[in-house]
Coordinates of all heavy atoms in Angstrom, one line a residue:
M197 N 46.8 -191.1 -38.6 CA 47.0 -190.8 -39.9 C 46.0 -189.8 -40.4 O 44.9 -189.7 -40.0 CB 46.9 -192.1 -40.8 CG 48.1 -193.0 -40.5 SD 48.0 -194.5 -41.5 CE 47.2 -195.5 -40.4
F198 N 46.5 -189.0 -41.5 CA 45.7 -187.9 -42.0 C 45.6 -188.0 -43.5 O 46.4 -188.6 -44.1 CB 46.4 -186.6 -41.6 CG 46.7 -186.4 -40.2 CD1 47.9 -186.7 -39.7 CD2 45.7 -186.0 -39.3 CE1 48.2 -186.6 -38.3 CE2 46.0 -185.9 -37.9 CZ 47.3 -186.2 -37.5
L199 N 44.5 -187.4 -44.1 CA 44.3 -187.4 -45.5 C 45.0 -186.2 -46.1 O 45.0 -185.1 -45.5 CB 42.8 -187.4 -45.9 CG 42.0 -188.6 -45.6 CD1 40.6 -188.4 -46.0 CD2 42.6 -189.8 -46.4
G200 N 45.5 -186.4 -47.4 CA 46.0 -185.2 -48.1 C 46.0 -185.5 -49.6 O 45.8 -186.7 -50.0
K201 N 46.2 -184.5 -50.4 CA 46.2 -184.6 -51.8 C 47.5 -184.1 -52.3 O 48.0 -183.0 -52.0 CB 45.1 -183.8 -52.5 CG 45.0 -183.9 -54.0 CD 43.8 -183.1 -54.5 CE 43.8 -183.3 -56.0 NZ 42.6 -182.6 -56.6
V202 N 48.2 -184.9 -53.2 CA 49.5 -184.5 -53.7 C 49.2 -183.4 -54.8 O 48.5 -183.6 -55.7 CB 50.2 -185.7 -54.4 CG1 51.5 -185.2 -55.0 CG2 50.4 -186.8 -53.4
I203 N 49.9 -182.2 -54.6 CA 49.7 -181.1 -55.5 C 50.9 -180.7 -56.2 O 50.9 -179.8 -57.1 CB 49.1 -179.9 -54.8 CG1 50.0 -179.4 -53.6 CG2 47.7 -180.2 -54.2 CD1 49.6 -178.1 -53.0
G204 N 52.0 -181.4 -56.0 CA 53.3 -181.1 -56.7 C 54.5 -181.9 -56.1 O 54.3 -182.7 -55.2
R205 N 55.6 -181.6 -56.7 CA 56.9 -182.2 -56.3 C 57.9 -181.2 -55.9 O 57.9 -180.1 -56.5 CB 57.4 -183.1 -57.4 CG 56.5 -184.2 -57.8 CD 57.2 -185.0 -58.9 NE 56.2 -186.0 -59.4 CZ 56.4 -186.6 -60.5 NH1 57.4 -186.4 -61.3 NH2 55.4 -187.5 -60.9
L206 N 58.8 -181.6 -55.1 CA 59.9 -180.7 -54.7 C 61.2 -181.4 -55.1 O 61.4 -182.5 -54.8 CB 59.9 -180.5 -53.2 CG 61.1 -179.7 -52.6 CD1 60.8 -178.2 -52.9 CD2 61.2 -179.9 -51.2
V207 N 62.0 -180.6 -55.8 CA 63.3 -181.1 -56.2 C 64.4 -180.4 -55.5 O 64.6 -179.2 -55.8 CB 63.5 -181.0 -57.7 CG1 64.9 -181.5 -58.2 CG2 62.4 -181.7 -58.5
P208 N 65.0 -181.0 -54.5 CA 66.0 -180.3 -53.7 C 67.3 -180.2 -54.4 O 67.7 -181.1 -55.2 CB 66.1 -181.2 -52.4 CG 65.8 -182.5 -52.9 CD 64.7 -182.4 -54.0
A209 N 68.1 -179.1 -54.1 CA 69.4 -179.0 -54.6 C 70.4 -179.7 -53.8 O 71.4 -180.2 -54.3 CB 69.8 -177.5 -54.7
V210 N 70.2 -179.8 -52.5 CA 71.0 -180.5 -51.5 C 70.2 -181.5 -50.7 O 69.1 -181.1 -50.3 CB 71.7 -179.5 -50.6 CG1 72.6 -180.2 -49.6 CG2 72.5 -178.5 -51.4
V211 N 70.7 -182.7 -50.5 CA 69.9 -183.7 -49.8 C 70.7 -184.2 -48.6 O 71.9 -184.4 -48.6 CB 69.7 -184.9 -50.8 CG1 68.9 -186.0 -50.0 CG2 69.0 -184.5 -52.0
Y212 N 69.9 -184.3 -47.5 CA 70.5 -184.8 -46.2 C 71.0 -186.3 -46.4 O 70.3 -187.0 -47.1 CB 69.5 -184.7 -45.1 CG 70.0 -185.0 -43.8 CD1 70.7 -184.1 -43.0 CD2 69.9 -186.3 -43.2 CE1 71.1 -184.4 -41.7 CE2 70.4 -186.6 -42.0 CZ 71.0 -185.7 -41.2 OH 71.5 -186.0 -40.0
P213 N 72.1 -186.7 -45.9 CA 72.6 -188.0 -46.0 C 71.5 -189.0 -45.5 O 71.0 -188.8 -44.4 CB 73.8 -188.1 -45.1 CG 74.3 -186.7 -45.1 CD 73.1 -185.8 -45.1
G214 N 71.2 -190.0 -46.2 CA 70.2 -191.0 -45.9 C 68.8 -190.7 -46.6 O 68.0 -191.6 -46.6
M215 N 68.7 -189.6 -47.2 CA 67.4 -189.2 -47.9 C 67.6 -189.2 -49.4 O 66.7 -188.8 -50.1 CB 66.9 -187.9 -47.4 CG 66.4 -188.0 -46.0 SD 65.4 -186.5 -45.5 CE 64.1 -186.6 -46.7
E216 N 68.7 -189.7 -49.9 CA 69.0 -189.8 -51.3 C 67.9 -190.6 -52.0 O 67.7 -191.7 -51.6 CB 70.4 -190.3 -51.6 CG 71.5 -189.5 -51.1 CD 71.9 -189.9 -49.7 OE1 71.3 -190.8 -49.0 OE2 73.0 -189.4 -49.2
G217 N 67.3 -190.1 -53.0 CA 66.3 -190.9 -53.8 C 64.9 -190.9 -53.2 O 64.0 -191.5 -53.9
I218 N 64.7 -190.3 -52.1 CA 63.3 -190.3 -51.5 C 62.6 -189.1 -52.1 O 63.0 -188.0 -52.0 CB 63.4 -190.2 -49.9 CG1 64.0 -191.4 -49.3 CG2 61.9 -190.0 -49.4 CD1 64.2 -191.4 -47.8
P219 N 61.4 -189.4 -52.8 CA 60.7 -188.3 -53.4 C 60.1 -187.4 -52.3 O 59.7 -187.8 -51.2 CB 59.5 -189.0 -54.1 CG 60.0 -190.4 -54.2 CD 60.9 -190.7 -53.1
L220 N 60.1 -186.1 -52.6 CA 59.5 -185.1 -51.7 C 58.3 -184.5 -52.5 O 58.4 -184.0 -53.6 CB 60.5 -184.0 -51.4 CG 61.8 -184.5 -50.6 CD1 62.8 -183.4 -50.4 CD2 61.4 -185.1 -49.3
L221 N 57.2 -184.5 -51.8 CA 55.9 -184.1 -52.5 C 55.2 -183.0 -51.7 O 55.2 -182.9 -50.5 CB 54.9 -185.3 -52.5 CG 55.4 -186.6 -53.2 CD1 54.5 -187.7 -52.9 CD2 55.7 -186.3 -54.6
W222 N 54.6 -182.0 -52.4 CA 53.8 -181.0 -51.8 C 52.4 -181.7 -51.6 O 51.8 -182.2 -52.5 CB 53.6 -179.8 -52.7 CG 54.8 -178.9 -52.7 CD1 55.7 -178.7 -53.6 CD2 55.1 -177.9 -51.6 NE1 56.6 -177.8 -53.2 CE2 56.2 -177.3 -52.0 CE3 54.4 -177.6 -50.5 CZ2 56.8 -176.3 -51.2 CZ3 55.0 -176.6 -49.7 CH2 56.2 -176.0 -50.0
V223 N 51.9 -181.6 -50.4 CA 50.6 -182.2 -50.0 C 49.7 -181.2 -49.4 O 50.1 -180.4 -48.5 CB 50.9 -183.4 -49.0 CG1 49.5 -183.9 -48.5 CG2 51.7 -184.5 -49.7
Q224 N 48.5 -181.1 -49.9 CA 47.4 -180.3 -49.3 C 46.6 -181.1 -48.4 O 46.0 -182.1 -48.8 CB 46.5 -179.8 -50.5 CG 45.3 -179.1 -49.9 CD 45.6 -177.8 -49.2 OE1 46.2 -176.9 -49.7 NE2 45.1 -177.7 -48.0
P225 N 46.6 -180.8 -47.1 CA 45.9 -181.6 -46.1 C 44.4 -181.5 -46.4 O 43.9 -180.4 -46.9 CB 46.2 -181.0 -44.7 CG 46.9 -179.7 -45.0 CD 47.4 -179.7 -46.4
L226 N 43.6 -182.6 -46.2 CA 42.2 -182.6 -46.4 C 41.4 -183.0 -45.2 O 42.0 -183.7 -44.3 CB 41.9 -183.6 -47.5 CG 42.6 -183.5 -48.9 CD1 42.3 -184.7 -49.8 CD2 42.2 -182.2 -49.5
D227 N 40.2 -182.6 -45.1 CA 39.3 -183.1 -44.0 C 38.7 -184.4 -44.4 O 38.9 -184.9 -45.5 CB 38.3 -182.0 -43.6 CG 37.3 -181.7 -44.7 OD1 37.2 -182.4 -45.7 OD2 36.5 -180.7 -44.5
K228 N 37.8 -184.9 -43.6 CA 37.2 -186.2 -43.9 C 36.3 -186.2 -45.1 O 35.9 -187.2 -45.7 CB 36.5 -186.8 -42.7 CG 35.2 -186.1 -42.3 CD 34.6 -186.7 -41.1 CE 33.4 -186.0 -40.7 NZ 32.8 -186.7 -39.5
H229 N 35.9 -185.0 -45.6 CA 35.0 -184.9 -46.8 C 35.9 -184.5 -48.0 O 35.3 -184.0 -49.0 CB 33.9 -183.8 -46.5 CG 33.0 -184.2 -45.4 ND1 32.1 -185.2 -45.5 CD2 32.9 -183.7 -44.1 CE1 31.4 -185.3 -44.4 NE2 31.9 -184.4 -43.5
S230 N 37.2 -184.6 -47.9 CA 38.1 -184.3 -49.0 C 38.2 -182.9 -49.4 O 38.4 -182.5 -50.5 CB 37.8 -185.2 -50.2 OG 38.0 -186.6 -49.9
R231 N 37.9 -182.0 -48.4 CA 38.0 -180.5 -48.7 C 39.3 -180.1 -48.1 O 39.7 -180.5 -47.1 CB 36.8 -179.8 -48.0 CG 35.5 -180.1 -48.6 CD 34.4 -179.3 -47.9 NE 34.3 -179.7 -46.5 CZ 33.2 -180.1 -45.9 NH1 32.1 -180.2 -46.6 NH2 33.2 -180.4 -44.6
P232 N 40.0 -179.1 -48.8 CA 41.2 -178.6 -48.3 C 41.1 -178.0 -46.9 O 40.1 -177.4 -46.5 CB 41.6 -177.4 -49.3 CG 40.8 -177.8 -50.5 CD 39.6 -178.5 -50.1
E233 N 42.1 -178.3 -46.1 CA 42.1 -177.9 -44.7 C 43.5 -177.6 -44.3 O 44.4 -178.4 -44.1 CB 41.6 -179.1 -43.8 CG 41.6 -178.8 -42.3 CD 41.0 -180.0 -41.5 OE1 41.7 -181.0 -41.6 OE2 40.0 -179.8 -40.9
G234 N 43.8 -176.3 -44.1 CA 45.2 -175.8 -43.8 C 46.0 -175.6 -45.0 O 45.6 -175.6 -46.1
R235 N 47.3 -175.3 -44.7 CA 48.3 -174.9 -45.7 C 49.0 -176.2 -46.2 O 49.3 -177.1 -45.4 CB 49.3 -173.9 -45.1 CG 48.6 -172.6 -44.8 CD 49.5 -171.7 -44.1 NE 50.8 -171.6 -44.9 CZ 51.7 -170.7 -44.6 NH1 51.7 -170.0 -43.6 NH2 52.8 -170.7 -45.4
P236 N 49.4 -176.2 -47.5 CA 50.2 -177.3 -48.0 C 51.6 -177.4 -47.3 O 52.1 -176.4 -46.8 CB 50.4 -176.9 -49.5 CG 49.3 -176.0 -49.8 CD 49.1 -175.2 -48.5
F237 N 52.2 -178.5 -47.4 CA 53.5 -178.8 -46.8 C 54.2 -179.9 -47.6 O 53.6 -180.5 -48.5 CB 53.4 -179.2 -45.3 CG 52.4 -180.3 -45.1 CD1 52.8 -181.6 -45.3 CD2 51.1 -180.0 -44.7 CE1 51.9 -182.6 -45.0 CE2 50.2 -181.0 -44.5 CZ 50.6 -182.4 -44.7
V238 N 55.5 -180.1 -47.3 CA 56.3 -181.1 -48.0 C 56.3 -182.4 -47.2 O 56.4 -182.4 -46.0 CB 57.7 -180.6 -48.2 CG1 58.6 -181.7 -48.8 CG2 57.7 -179.4 -49.0
C239 N 56.0 -183.5 -47.9 CA 56.0 -184.9 -47.3 C 57.1 -185.7 -48.0 O 57.2 -185.6 -49.3 CB 54.7 -185.6 -47.6 SG 53.5 -185.4 -46.3
A240 N 57.8 -186.5 -47.3 CA 58.7 -187.5 -47.9 C 57.9 -188.7 -48.2 O 57.0 -189.1 -47.5 CB 59.8 -187.9 -46.9
D241 N 58.1 -189.2 -49.4 CA 57.3 -190.4 -49.9 C 58.0 -191.7 -49.8 O 58.7 -192.1 -50.7 CB 56.8 -190.1 -51.3 CG 55.9 -191.2 -51.8 OD1 55.4 -192.1 -51.0 OD2 55.7 -191.3 -53.1
G242 N 57.9 -192.3 -48.6 CA 58.5 -193.6 -48.4 C 57.9 -194.7 -49.2 O 58.5 -195.8 -49.4
T243 N 56.7 -194.5 -49.8 CA 56.1 -195.6 -50.6 C 56.7 -195.6 -52.0 O 56.5 -196.6 -52.7 CB 54.6 -195.4 -50.7 OG1 54.3 -194.2 -51.5 CG2 53.9 -195.3 -49.4
F244 N 57.2 -194.4 -52.5 CA 57.7 -194.3 -53.8 C 56.7 -194.4 -54.9 O 57.0 -194.8 -56.0 CB 58.9 -195.2 -54.1 CG 60.1 -195.0 -53.2 CD1 60.2 -195.7 -52.0 CD2 61.1 -194.1 -53.6 CE1 61.3 -195.5 -51.2 CE2 62.2 -193.9 -52.8 CZ 62.3 -194.6 -51.6
M245 N 55.4 -194.3 -54.5 CA 54.3 -194.5 -55.5 C 53.4 -193.3 -55.7 O 52.6 -193.3 -56.7 CB 53.5 -195.7 -55.0 CG 54.2 -197.0 -55.0 SD 53.2 -198.4 -54.7 CE 52.6 -198.1 -53.0
A246 N 53.4 -192.4 -54.8 CA 52.4 -191.3 -54.9 C 52.7 -190.3 -56.1 O 53.9 -190.1 -56.3 CB 52.3 -190.5 -53.6
G247 N 51.7 -189.8 -56.7 CA 51.9 -188.9 -57.8 C 50.9 -187.8 -57.8 O 50.1 -187.7 -56.9
P248 N 51.0 -186.9 -58.7 CA 50.1 -185.7 -58.7 C 48.6 -186.1 -58.7 O 48.2 -187.0 -59.3 CB 50.5 -185.0 -60.1 CG 51.8 -185.5 -60.4 CD 51.9 -186.9 -59.8
D249 N 47.9 -185.3 -57.9 CA 46.4 -185.4 -57.8 C 46.0 -186.7 -57.1 O 44.8 -187.0 -57.0 CB 45.7 -185.4 -59.2 CG 45.8 -184.0 -59.8 OD1 45.9 -183.0 -59.0 OD2 45.9 -183.9 -61.0
E250 N 46.9 -187.5 -56.5 CA 46.5 -188.7 -55.7 C 46.2 -188.3 -54.3 O 46.8 -187.4 -53.7 CB 47.6 -189.7 -55.8 CG 47.7 -190.4 -57.1 CD 48.4 -191.7 -57.0 OE1 47.8 -192.7 -56.6 OE2 49.6 -191.7 -57.4
I251 N 45.2 -189.0 -53.7 CA 44.9 -188.9 -52.3 C 45.7 -189.8 -51.6 O 45.8 -191.0 -51.9 CB 43.4 -189.2 -52.1 CG1 42.5 -188.3 -52.9 CG2 43.0 -189.0 -50.6 CD1 42.6 -186.8 -52.7
V252 N 46.4 -189.3 -50.5 CA 47.3 -190.2 -49.7 C 47.0 -190.0 -48.3 O 46.2 -189.1 -47.9 CB 48.8 -189.7 -49.9 CG1 49.2 -189.9 -51.4 CG2 49.0 -188.3 -49.5
Y253 N 47.5 -190.9 -47.5 CA 47.4 -190.7 -46.0 C 48.9 -190.6 -45.5 O 49.8 -191.2 -46.1 CB 46.6 -191.7 -45.3 CG 46.9 -193.2 -45.4 CD1 47.7 -193.8 -44.5 CD2 46.4 -193.9 -46.5 CE1 48.0 -195.2 -44.6 CE2 46.7 -195.2 -46.6 CZ 47.4 -195.9 -45.7 OH 47.7 -197.2 -45.8
W254 N 49.0 -189.7 -44.6 CA 50.3 -189.3 -44.1 C 50.4 -189.3 -42.6 O 49.4 -189.3 -41.9 CB 50.7 -187.9 -44.7 CG 49.7 -186.8 -44.4 CD1 48.6 -186.5 -45.2 CD2 49.8 -185.9 -43.4 NE1 48.0 -185.4 -44.6 CE2 48.7 -185.0 -43.5 CE3 50.6 -185.7 -42.3 CZ2 48.4 -184.0 -42.6 CZ3 50.4 -184.7 -41.4 CH2 49.3 -183.8 -41.6
E255 N 51.6 -189.3 -42.1 CA 51.9 -189.3 -40.7 C 52.8 -188.1 -40.4 O 53.6 -187.7 -41.3 CB 52.5 -190.6 -40.3 CG 52.5 -190.9 -38.8 CD 51.1 -190.9 -38.2 OE1 50.3 -191.7 -38.6 OE2 50.8 -190.0 -37.4
A256 N 52.8 -187.6 -39.2 CA 53.6 -186.5 -38.8 C 54.5 -186.8 -37.7 O 54.4 -187.9 -37.0 CB 52.7 -185.3 -38.4
S257 N 55.5 -186.0 -37.4 CA 56.4 -186.0 -36.3 C 57.3 -187.3 -36.3 O 57.8 -187.7 -37.3 CB 55.5 -186.0 -35.0 OG 56.3 -185.7 -33.9
R258 N 57.5 -187.9 -35.1 CA 58.4 -189.0 -35.0 C 58.0 -190.2 -35.9 O 58.8 -190.9 -36.5 CB 58.5 -189.5 -33.6 CG 59.4 -190.6 -33.4 CD 59.6 -191.0 -31.9 NE 60.5 -192.1 -31.8 CZ 60.5 -192.9 -30.8 NH1 59.7 -192.7 -29.8 NH2 61.4 -193.9 -30.7
E259 N 56.6 -190.4 -36.0 CA 56.1 -191.5 -36.8 C 56.5 -191.4 -38.2 O 56.7 -192.3 -38.9 CB 54.6 -191.6 -36.6 CG 54.2 -192.1 -35.2 CD 54.2 -191.1 -34.2 OE1 54.3 -189.9 -34.5 OE2 54.1 -191.4 -33.0
A260 N 56.6 -190.1 -38.7 CA 57.0 -189.9 -40.1 C 58.4 -190.4 -40.3 O 58.7 -191.0 -41.3 CB 56.8 -188.4 -40.4
A261 N 59.3 -190.1 -39.4 CA 60.7 -190.5 -39.6 C 60.8 -192.0 -39.5 O 61.6 -192.6 -40.2 CB 61.5 -189.9 -38.5
L262 N 59.9 -192.7 -38.8 CA 60.0 -194.1 -38.7 C 59.5 -194.9 -40.0 O 59.9 -196.0 -40.2 CB 59.1 -194.6 -37.5 CG 59.6 -194.3 -36.1 CD1 58.6 -194.6 -35.1 CD2 60.9 -195.0 -35.8
T263 N 58.8 -194.2 -40.8 CA 58.3 -194.8 -42.0 C 59.3 -194.9 -43.1 O 59.1 -195.6 -44.1 CB 57.1 -194.0 -42.6 OG1 57.5 -192.8 -43.0 CG2 56.0 -193.9 -41.6
L264 N 60.4 -194.2 -43.0 CA 61.5 -194.2 -44.0 C 62.6 -195.1 -43.7 O 62.8 -195.5 -42.5 CB 62.0 -192.8 -44.2 CG 60.9 -191.7 -44.5 CD1 61.5 -190.3 -44.5 CD2 60.3 -192.0 -45.9
T265 N 63.4 -195.5 -44.7 CA 64.6 -196.3 -44.5 C 65.8 -195.5 -45.0 O 65.8 -195.2 -46.2 CB 64.5 -197.6 -45.3 OG1 63.3 -198.3 -44.9 CG2 65.7 -198.5 -45.0
P266 N 66.7 -195.2 -44.2 CA 66.9 -195.5 -42.8 C 65.9 -194.6 -41.9 O 65.5 -193.5 -42.3 CB 68.3 -195.1 -42.5 CG 68.7 -194.0 -43.5 CD 67.9 -194.4 -44.7
S267 N 65.6 -195.1 -40.8 CA 64.7 -194.4 -39.8 C 65.4 -193.2 -39.2 O 66.7 -193.1 -39.2 CB 64.3 -195.3 -38.7 OG 63.5 -196.3 -39.2
F268 N 64.6 -192.3 -38.7 CA 65.1 -191.1 -38.0 C 65.9 -190.2 -38.9 O 66.9 -189.6 -38.4 CB 65.9 -191.5 -36.7 CG 65.0 -192.2 -35.8 CD1 65.2 -193.5 -35.5 CD2 64.0 -191.5 -35.1 CE1 64.4 -194.2 -34.6 CE2 63.2 -192.2 -34.2 CZ 63.4 -193.5 -33.9
V269 N 65.5 -190.0 -40.1 CA 66.1 -188.9 -40.9 C 65.2 -187.7 -40.6 O 64.1 -187.8 -40.1 CB 66.0 -189.3 -42.4 CG1 67.0 -190.3 -42.8 CG2 64.6 -189.7 -42.9
P270 N 65.7 -186.5 -40.9 CA 65.0 -185.3 -40.4 C 63.8 -184.9 -41.3 O 63.9 -184.1 -42.2 CB 66.1 -184.2 -40.5 CG 67.0 -184.7 -41.6 CD 67.0 -186.2 -41.5
V271 N 62.7 -185.6 -41.1 CA 61.4 -185.2 -41.8 C 60.3 -184.9 -40.8 O 60.3 -185.5 -39.7 CB 61.0 -186.3 -42.7 CG1 62.0 -186.6 -43.8 CG2 60.7 -187.6 -42.0
D272 N 59.4 -184.1 -41.1 CA 58.3 -183.8 -40.3 C 57.0 -184.5 -40.7 O 56.1 -184.7 -39.9 CB 58.0 -182.3 -40.2 CG 59.1 -181.5 -39.5 OD1 59.7 -182.1 -38.6 OD2 59.4 -180.3 -39.9
H273 N 56.9 -184.8 -42.0 CA 55.7 -185.4 -42.6 C 56.2 -186.5 -43.6 O 57.1 -186.3 -44.3 CB 54.8 -184.4 -43.3 CG 54.4 -183.3 -42.4 ND1 55.1 -182.1 -42.4 CD2 53.4 -183.2 -41.6 CE1 54.5 -181.3 -41.5 NE2 53.5 -181.9 -41.0
A274 N 55.4 -187.6 -43.6 CA 55.8 -188.7 -44.6 C 54.5 -189.3 -45.1 O 53.6 -189.6 -44.3 CB 56.7 -189.7 -43.9
V275 N 54.5 -189.7 -46.4 CA 53.3 -190.4 -47.0 C 53.5 -191.8 -46.5 O 54.5 -192.5 -46.6 CB 53.4 -190.3 -48.5 CG1 52.4 -191.2 -49.1 CG2 53.2 -188.9 -49.0
V276 N 52.3 -192.4 -46.0 CA 52.3 -193.8 -45.5 C 51.6 -194.7 -46.5 O 52.0 -195.8 -46.6 CB 51.5 -193.8 -44.2 CG1 51.5 -195.2 -43.7 CG2 52.2 -192.9 -43.2
G277 N 50.7 -194.2 -47.3 CA 50.0 -195.0 -48.3 C 49.1 -194.2 -49.2 O 48.9 -193.0 -49.0
L278 N 48.5 -194.9 -50.2 CA 47.6 -194.3 -51.1 C 46.2 -194.7 -50.7 O 45.9 -195.7 -50.2 CB 47.9 -194.8 -52.5 CG 49.3 -194.7 -53.0 CD1 49.4 -195.3 -54.4 CD2 49.7 -193.2 -53.1
V279 N 45.3 -193.7 -51.0 CA 43.9 -193.9 -50.6 C 43.1 -194.3 -51.9 O 43.1 -193.6 -52.9 CB 43.3 -192.6 -50.0 CG1 41.8 -192.8 -49.7 CG2 44.0 -192.3 -48.7
N280 N 42.4 -195.4 -51.8 CA 41.5 -195.9 -52.9 C 40.1 -195.3 -52.9 O 39.5 -195.0 -53.9 CB 41.5 -197.4 -53.0 CG 42.8 -198.0 -53.4 OD1 43.5 -197.4 -54.2 ND2 43.1 -199.2 -52.8
D281 N 39.6 -195.2 -51.6 CA 38.2 -194.8 -51.4 C 38.0 -194.3 -50.0 O 38.7 -194.7 -49.1 CB 37.3 -196.0 -51.7 CG 35.8 -195.6 -51.7 OD1 35.5 -194.5 -52.1 OD2 35.0 -196.5 -51.3
V282 N 37.2 -193.3 -49.9 CA 36.8 -192.8 -48.6 C 35.3 -192.9 -48.4 O 34.5 -192.5 -49.2 CB 37.2 -191.3 -48.5 CG1 36.7 -190.7 -47.1 CG2 38.6 -191.1 -48.6
Q283 N 34.9 -193.7 -47.4 CA 33.5 -193.9 -47.0 C 33.2 -193.3 -45.7 O 34.0 -193.6 -44.7 CB 33.1 -195.3 -47.1 CG 33.2 -195.9 -48.5 CD 32.8 -197.4 -48.5 OE1 32.6 -198.0 -47.4 NE2 32.6 -197.9 -49.7
I284 N 32.2 -192.5 -45.5 CA 31.8 -191.9 -44.3 C 30.4 -192.5 -43.9 O 29.5 -192.3 -44.6 CB 31.8 -190.4 -44.4 CG1 33.2 -189.9 -44.8 CG2 31.4 -189.8 -43.0 CD1 33.3 -188.4 -45.1
D285 N 30.3 -193.1 -42.7 CA 29.1 -193.6 -42.2 C 28.2 -192.4 -41.8 O 28.7 -191.4 -41.3 CB 29.3 -194.5 -41.0 CG 29.9 -195.8 -41.4 OD1 29.9 -196.2 -42.6 OD2 30.6 -196.4 -40.6
E286 N 26.9 -192.5 -41.9 CA 26.0 -191.4 -41.5 C 26.1 -191.3 -40.0 O 26.3 -192.3 -39.3 CB 24.6 -191.8 -41.9 CG 24.3 -191.6 -43.3 CD 22.8 -191.8 -43.6 OE1 22.0 -191.4 -42.7 OE2 22.5 -192.3 -44.7
D287 N 26.0 -190.1 -39.5 CA 25.9 -189.8 -38.1 C 24.6 -190.3 -37.6 O 23.5 -189.9 -38.1 CB 26.0 -188.3 -37.9 CG 26.1 -187.9 -36.4 OD1 26.2 -188.8 -35.6 OD2 26.0 -186.7 -36.1
P288 N 24.5 -191.2 -36.6 CA 23.3 -191.8 -36.1 C 22.3 -190.7 -35.7 O 21.1 -190.8 -35.9 CB 23.7 -192.6 -34.9 CG 25.1 -192.9 -35.1 CD 25.7 -191.7 -35.9
A289 N 22.8 -189.6 -35.2 CA 21.9 -188.5 -34.7 C 21.1 -187.9 -35.9 O 20.0 -187.5 -35.8 CB 22.6 -187.5 -33.9
E290 N 21.8 -187.8 -37.1 CA 21.2 -187.2 -38.2 C 20.3 -188.2 -38.9 O 19.3 -187.8 -39.6 CB 22.3 -186.8 -39.2 CG 23.1 -185.6 -38.7 CD 24.2 -185.2 -39.7 OE1 24.1 -185.7 -40.9 OE2 25.0 -184.4 -39.4
S291 N 20.5 -189.5 -38.9 CA 19.6 -190.4 -39.6 C 18.3 -190.6 -38.9 O 17.3 -191.1 -39.5 CB 20.3 -191.8 -39.7 OG 20.6 -192.3 -38.4
D292 N 18.1 -190.2 -37.6 CA 16.9 -190.3 -36.9 C 15.9 -189.2 -37.2 O 14.7 -189.2 -36.9 CB 17.1 -190.4 -35.4 CG 17.8 -191.7 -35.0 OD1 17.7 -192.6 -35.8 OD2 18.4 -191.7 -33.9
R293 N 16.4 -188.1 -37.9 CA 15.6 -187.0 -38.1 C 14.7 -187.2 -39.3 O 15.0 -187.9 -40.3 CB 16.5 -185.8 -38.5 CG 17.3 -185.3 -37.3 CD 18.2 -184.1 -37.7 NE 19.1 -183.8 -36.6 CZ 20.1 -183.0 -36.7 NH1 20.3 -182.4 -37.8 NH2 20.9 -182.8 -35.6
P294 N 13.5 -186.7 -39.3 CA 12.5 -186.9 -40.4 C 12.9 -186.1 -41.6 O 13.6 -185.3 -41.7 CB 11.2 -186.4 -39.8 CG 11.5 -185.6 -38.6 CD 12.9 -186.0 -38.2

């Protein structure tokens, strides 16, 4: 799973059968320090809960299609859940330094 920030919504004019009502969101991928990493892309939101400026975790490829109902609709990325907090443990090599 990967981190991302919702930066917008996509409203399609035509929808593939089985994807009716599934929100499509523009997501900016983030690194572990919540900094932008790469180009934004569209994610299907199977949780139906993500909104603008929220941090989400997402899945890609076949796993993305499995998160939606019905499964195996043509999606490359899908929101799996919302992120409440990100905590990063210190690197042990850095904590030993004076």
Side-chain angles (χ1 to χ4, degrees):
M197 287 183 266
F198 307 97
L199 288 178
K201 181 177 183 177
V202 177
I203 60 171
R205 296 182 190 164
L206 175 76
V207 180
V210 178
V211 181
Y212 186 85
M215 291 193 60
E216 298 90 352
I218 296 175
L220 300 175
L221 306 171
W222 280 104
V223 173
Q224 170 65 55
L226 303 173
D227 65 10
K228 67 180 181 180
H229 298 288
S230 298
R231 293 182 298 235
E233 179 179 63
R235 295 176 50 176
F237 51 82
V238 176
C239 267
D241 181 15
T243 68
F244 297 91
M245 296 187 299
D249 294 327
E250 287 199 79
I251 305 296
V252 296
Y253 54 99
W254 55 275
E255 197 58 67
S257 195
R258 180 177 181 201
E259 289 79 12
L262 290 171
T263 66
L264 302 173
T265 303
S267 295
F268 296 112
V269 289
V271 297
D272 290 328
H273 303 94
V275 172
V276 179
L278 306 177
V279 175
N280 293 325
D281 189 29
V282 177
Q283 294 183 348
I284 301 173
D285 293 336
E286 285 187 32
D287 184 11
E290 291 180 10
S291 63
D292 293 339
R293 295 180 187 168

